[in-house]
Amino acid sequence: GDSVTQTEGLVTLTKGLPVMLNCTYQTTYSPFLFWYVQHLNEAPKLLLKSSTDNKRTEHQGFYATLHKSSSSFHLQKSSVQLSDSALYFCALSDLLTSGGNYKPTFGKGTSLVVHP
Amino acid sequence: EAAVTQSPRSKVAVTGGKVTLSCHQTNNHDYMYWYRQDTGHGLRLIHYSYVADSTEKGDIPDGYKASRPSQENFSLILELASLSQTAVYFCASSGGQANTGQLYFGEGSKLTVL
């Protein structure tokens, strides 16, 4: 079955530094990859998504590139802010290619803590 | 903007009691999901549905039932609530003509079992 791996459980950084959160996946099909962000006491919401190989996608200063050759979709930002402190989930779907009876697959999440 | 609403937003239940969490979506989405989140942890899939009047077991279905009486509504039922079911529960939907599998989450329902 499908799987998503996020290797870091907790990342702690000082404001202004760059960050990369790792995401690798396994699937038989051609997937959509997602990053969701969840701030404290809020619901997860979409940050980025992509299905195009080797194309960078960006939103709110965050960016990620889907690399099908290495099955990766790492999330990056060049300069983190205090407001970026949150839980970040990587997820995949293969709905369009796998057919019905579909359920998305989430990684365990990475907690990003940004200090002043 | 996609809309998923959950009720109640917060509930305190007694051990052994029955709890029903409700979810309503106005997105015209076929897929609906119930996730559980324990403090500071990830999302675990309990039940999901891709058509009205039918539900599927997720990864942690034990102790939970689900009901999908219509495309818009999806309920999670705890027949005999237990202390270990204290958590935040999120409903989500996905679908549409260009369905990528993107999830639209409700605001969450915080359940405390005493």
Side-chain angles (χ1 to χ4, degrees), chain A residues 32 34 36 38 41-46 49 87 89 93-96 99-109, chain B residues 31 33 35 37 40-43 45 48 50 56-59 90 94 98-108:
Chain A
F32 262 92
F34 305 86
Y36 292 90
Q38 184 181 25
N41 297 323
E42 294 183 7
K45 59 184 179 183
L46 181 72
K49 65 181 178 184
L87 267 173
F89 295 102
S93 80
D94 53 22
L95 174 65
L96 295 179
N101 196 11
Y102 152 82
K103 57 179 182 177
T105 302
F106 277 81
K108 292 186 176 182
Chain B
Y31 289 82
Y33 308 86
Y35 287 91
Q37 186 175 40
H41 289 84
L43 299 164
L45 182 64
Y48 66 104
Y50 54 91
E56 305 292 331
K57 293 181 179 179
D59 301 319
F90 288 100
S94 72
N99 186 12
T100 64
Q102 176 184 341
L103 295 180
Y104 296 83
F105 287 89
E107 316 96 313

Side-chain angles (χ1 to χ4, degrees), chain B residues 9-13 19 21 64 78 81-82 85-89 109-113:
Chain B
R9 295 291 312 279
S10 180
K11 182 173 180 65
V12 179
V19 175
L21 304 179
Y64 302 93
L78 291 67
S82 67
Q85 293 176 314
T86 293
V88 178
Y89 293 84
S109 296
K110 183 177 180 180
L111 175 63
T112 302
V113 182

Side-chain angles (χ1 to χ4, degrees), chain A residues 38-57:
Chain A
Q38 184 181 25
H39 289 96
L40 189 63
N41 297 323
E42 294 183 7
K45 59 184 179 183
L46 181 72
L47 182 59
L48 295 171
K49 65 181 178 184
S50 179
S51 64
T52 305
D53 198 11
N54 297 318
K55 181 180 178 181
R56 174 166 155 160
T57 183

Side-chain angles (χ1 to χ4, degrees), chain B:
Chain B
E1 179 74 21
V4 180
T5 54
Q6 297 180 225
S7 62
R9 295 291 312 279
S10 180
K11 182 173 180 65
V12 179
V14 296
T15 304
K18 182 177 181 178
V19 175
T20 300
L21 304 179
S22 299
C23 179
H24 178 81
Q25 55 108 349
T26 58
N27 307 324
N28 198 31
H29 285 169
D30 290 328
Y31 289 82
M32 295 187 75
Y33 308 86
W34 276 107
Y35 287 91
R36 168 181 173 151
Q37 186 175 40
D38 296 284
T39 304
H41 289 84
L43 299 164
R44 293 187 288 172
L45 182 64
I46 306 171
H47 286 287
Y48 66 104
S49 170
Y50 54 91
V51 66
D53 295 322
S54 178
T55 63
E56 305 292 331
K57 293 181 179 179
D59 301 319
I60 54 163
D62 293 345
Y64 302 93
K65 292 183 180 179
S67 174
R68 181 95 182 269
S70 64
Q71 187 192 41
E72 298 80 14
N73 296 294
F74 191 37
S75 297
L76 185 68
I77 303 147
L78 291 67
E79 295 278 3
L80 296 170
S82 67
L83 295 173
S84 64
Q85 293 176 314
T86 293
V88 178
Y89 293 84
F90 288 100
C91 177
S93 74
S94 72
Q97 284 191 333
N99 186 12
T100 64
Q102 176 184 341
L103 295 180
Y104 296 83
F105 287 89
E107 316 96 313
S109 296
K110 183 177 180 180
L111 175 63
T112 302
V113 182
L114 301 176

Side-chain angles (χ1 to χ4, degrees), chain A residues 2 4 6 14 18 22 29 39 41-42 49 51 54 65 68 73 78 81 84 88 92 99 101 106 110 112:
Chain A
D2 295 345
V4 174
Q6 295 181 245
T14 301
N22 291 308
Y29 304 98
H39 289 96
N41 297 323
E42 294 183 7
K49 65 181 178 184
S51 64
N54 297 318
T65 303
K68 292 185 179 180
F73 191 57
S78 58
Q81 304 303 309
D84 294 328
Y88 292 81
L92 79 80
N101 196 11
F106 277 81
T110 298
L112 175 63

Side-chain angles (χ1 to χ4, degrees), chain A residues 53-69:
Chain A
D53 198 11
N54 297 318
K55 181 180 178 181
R56 174 166 155 160
T57 183
E58 301 186 34
H59 185 62
Q60 296 182 336
F62 287 91
Y63 59 96
T65 303
L66 176 59
H67 292 295
K68 292 185 179 180
S69 61

